[in-house]
Amino acid sequence: MAALLFTVVMGVQAGKYQNFKVSTYIRAQDVARMDDDKFLKSTWETVSSQVDLDKIYIETHRDAFTVPEKTLLKVKKFFLSKGLEVGGGITFTRSEPSDFETYSYAREEERQQVKQISEFTAKFFDDFILDDFFFIDLKNDDEISAKGSKSWTDYRLRLMADAGRELVLNPAKAVNPKVKVIIKYPNWYDHFHGLGFNLEEEPGYFDGIWTGTETRDPASAQHLQNYLSYNIIRYFENIAPGRNYGGWVDAGGIHMSMDRYAEQLHLTMLARTPEIILWNYMQLAEVKISPNMRRAWQDEGSNSFRYDEMIAPYVKDGKTITPTTMARFAHHTLHQTDVLVGKLGKPVGLVSYKPYHSSGEDFLQNYLGMIGLPMDMHPQWQEGRKQILLTEQAAKDPQIVEKIKRQLRNGGDVIITTGLLKVIREPLADVCELYCADLKAIVNDFGMSGKSEREFIIPQVKYFTNDAWEVVSAGRPLSGGVSGYPILLRNTYSKGTLFVLTIPDDFGNLYDFPAPALNVIRRVMSKDVGAYIEGPSKVALFPYDNQTMVVENFNDQAVSLRVVVNGKVSALRNLLTGEKMEPQEVPISRYRFFGYAEGQTVFNLTLPAHSYIGLEEVK
């Protein structure tokens, strides 16, 4: 079938977004600089001429500096005069250059400073955001003494949950009863509890939360995968339904390409969040467009994010403007995405249970998202699902094995990772006697599922023959070779099936699984999703409850895929062009986990590098 290419749709009313707001944020030190009229007006001219904004957040405090009241009022008045909504912001740091030094909440003097900053900010704004740093990273003598015999995690969780009420929320509302105090959580959610971010309590009493969706360069210190820009929004929405107000993306990663920045914006909005903050105002004004931001794949000319179109001169208010900063990338990407997201329903996916304050196999769900498994992370156990994915984090729940049994007795599937198996091996033996400890294997051959391009290390899973069965296996070599080990293992219990998914020591080696092995894994785990994709890794599927989906390619080259719908449909319609894809004739397989079953509908698809397509099932 000829390649089905995504067509960029740019016919959107300038200055307005139909499905979300677009905002930006000004740091306190830059607000102070705006006391200079020339600086204030020139930066606004640069930013506003290149990107449409609905709201601006004006920060009052950062790094032990508070903006003078006179300057704050002047800047607020200026932006109100430009037709923007205006909110406030606070960053509770004493020194970002000193390892992001926070306030010390065991010191009464510093507690009072936090309280006074909250009261000051509430005087001027009816909503304000706490940026990223409402945690504690200090181990000074006062904190050590206050901690006593508690663990640092337990101490900090209690300290900061109380500080949020006593020093921020209650003082702010005493000054301004209308004020909404919103806590913004950064992107490193799996480590929050260690520094006092309390996802169990804080979203319940703050007026809303905000979400850091910056994934930047995966090679940088945090090593966050692209998919997190979507996944974290959905996780926080499940923590605070209807009160997760938006996503937050900065310029990190733009050195990789314009596409890497655009993808973060796009994925944030695919999660159906109502607002996005472009961090920050000065980046929009000063991060210059560079030819280095254009990569070779742009020569295909059919990519979703088109550098050449983004930097082309345009006319606004009768003036011809040549784009100069990254603000123009944001403008194009968000207007383009606005057209698509209005056609999408509520996101759905494979439920993954992550209890509050849990650790283990950190950020694994984002790697799984990058191999085409749609994630739906929840802090509470979800009943009534056909399938539930459990990583090592689920061991935080002391009742986890009983919940696994209940799911299986009800006829559902449970998919556990090798990380969880290691932790709950003994109690899980009542379901299936499995062993996974320190034994390792080096593999590169998946037998009938193909070979990987490199060798990598996996944990060995041991089981009793004929009590459990391998669905996907790997060895070195496996075909006509020496030994093999399960990659996907299954065991029956009551009316359900327990699967064990082997996770490589380096999660990134999931991307090295050959496509046929990934296809089996996706097929097995698609019962609640209704569709799955076949093809290489670094392609994600985003399904919605109105029988729409988005497929996105994060590879540096075009990929050929199949979309498999678990039901009979007559076609898939491109949500933006209206073009229909016709189903393929495929043989029916008699094997449960391989090939295609009666009733499935299969479509061929080609996606250019760093591109996406929105599709709708046609009955």
Side-chain angles (χ1 to χ4, degrees), residues 62-64 92-102:
R62 176 181 293 256
D63 281 9
F92 283 118
T93 50
R94 296 191 64 81
S95 175
E96 286 187 75
S98 301
D99 296 326
F100 303 109
E101 180 188 346
T102 65

Side-chain angles (χ1 to χ4, degrees), residues 251 254 282-289 293 324-327 329:
I254 202 168
M282 292 311 300
Q283 288 185 351
L284 296 176
E286 295 181 344
V287 176
K288 301 297 184 184
I289 292 172
M293 296 172 184
T324 57
T325 77
M326 60 174 272
F329 297 154

Side-chain angles (χ1 to χ4, degrees), residues 168-187:
V168 182
L169 185 72
N170 292 343
K173 288 186 179 292
V175 170
N176 179 0
K178 297 187 299 181
V179 72
K180 291 184 177 180
V181 183
I182 302 158
I183 184 167
K184 186 254 178 173
Y185 291 115
N187 47 18

Side-chain angles (χ1 to χ4, degrees), residues 28-32 60-68 91 93-94 103:
Q29 287 74 9
D30 297 318
V31 176
T60 62
H61 178 90
R62 176 181 293 256
D63 281 9
F65 168 75
T66 300
V67 179
T91 299
T93 50
R94 296 191 64 81
Y103 280 84

Side-chain angles (χ1 to χ4, degrees), residues 29 75 125 129 193 296 332 365 387 392 408 453 484 509 572:
Q29 287 74 9
V75 174
F125 302 102
I129 294 175
H193 46 289
H332 267 249
Q365 288 90 342
Q387 296 182 307
E392 186 181 346
L408 295 172
E453 294 185 358
N509 288 135
L572 288 178

Side-chain angles (χ1 to χ4, degrees), residues 4-216:
L4 180 62
L5 303 180
F6 173 80
T7 301
V8 178
V9 177
M10 295 305 298
V12 184
Q13 180 183 355
K16 299 293 182 183
Y17 304 86
Q18 300 302 312
N19 298 288
F20 46 76
K21 289 182 182 179
V22 176
S23 306
T24 190
Y25 187 108
I26 314 176
R27 299 182 311 153
Q29 287 74 9
D30 297 318
V31 176
R33 294 168 67 192
M34 291 177 176
D35 197 42
D36 178 345
D37 286 344
K38 182 178 179 181
F39 178 79
L40 174 61
K41 294 175 182 178
S42 64
T43 53
W44 170 247
E45 175 62 26
T46 298
V47 172
S48 64
S49 66
Q50 296 184 89
V51 62
D52 298 323
L53 296 172
D54 299 301
K55 187 169 182 177
I56 198 157
Y57 293 86
I58 302 170
E59 191 174 72
T60 62
H61 178 90
R62 176 181 293 256
D63 281 9
F65 168 75
T66 300
V67 179
E69 180 173 335
K70 180 181 177 183
T71 303
L72 196 62
L73 289 170
K74 172 183 178 178
V75 174
K76 177 182 176 182
K77 181 179 179 181
F78 175 83
F79 286 112
L80 285 172
S81 75
K82 301 302 179 182
L84 298 182
E85 297 178 47
V86 176
I90 301 173
T91 299
F92 283 118
T93 50
R94 296 191 64 81
S95 175
E96 286 187 75
S98 301
D99 296 326
F100 303 109
E101 180 188 346
T102 65
Y103 280 84
S104 179
Y105 293 89
R107 292 176 174 170
E108 187 57 32
E109 178 184 354
E110 295 190 31
R111 290 174 64 87
Q112 289 305 309
Q113 291 172 351
V114 169
K115 180 175 179 287
Q116 290 163 8
I117 294 162
S118 302
E119 292 169 335
F120 175 77
T121 305
K123 287 170 53 179
F124 303 103
F125 302 102
D126 287 338
D127 66 290
F128 66 84
I129 294 175
L130 308 183
D131 173 25
D132 269 13
F133 298 99
F134 192 63
F135 60 81
I136 183 164
D137 57 5
L138 303 175
K139 294 181 179 177
N140 57 42
D141 290 343
D142 293 311
E143 298 293 343
I144 293 170
S145 177
K147 179 184 83 74
S149 61
K150 296 178 181 177
S151 69
W152 280 109
T153 293
D154 288 345
Y155 166 68
R156 287 170 165 176
L157 282 171
R158 183 74 270 135
L159 177 73
M160 297 309 297
D162 291 342
R165 289 188 185 92
E166 297 167 3
L167 306 180
V168 182
L169 185 72
N170 292 343
K173 288 186 179 292
V175 170
N176 179 0
K178 297 187 299 181
V179 72
K180 291 184 177 180
V181 183
I182 302 158
I183 184 167
K184 186 254 178 173
Y185 291 115
N187 47 18
W188 40 277
Y189 62 87
D190 262 337
H191 300 158
F192 279 178
H193 46 289
L195 285 91
F197 271 136
N198 194 323
L199 287 178
E200 186 172 15
E201 294 186 40
E202 290 168 353
Y205 66 76
F206 278 113
D207 295 299
I209 64 176
W210 212 279
T211 308
T213 56
E214 318 97 318
T215 45
R216 307 185 182 108

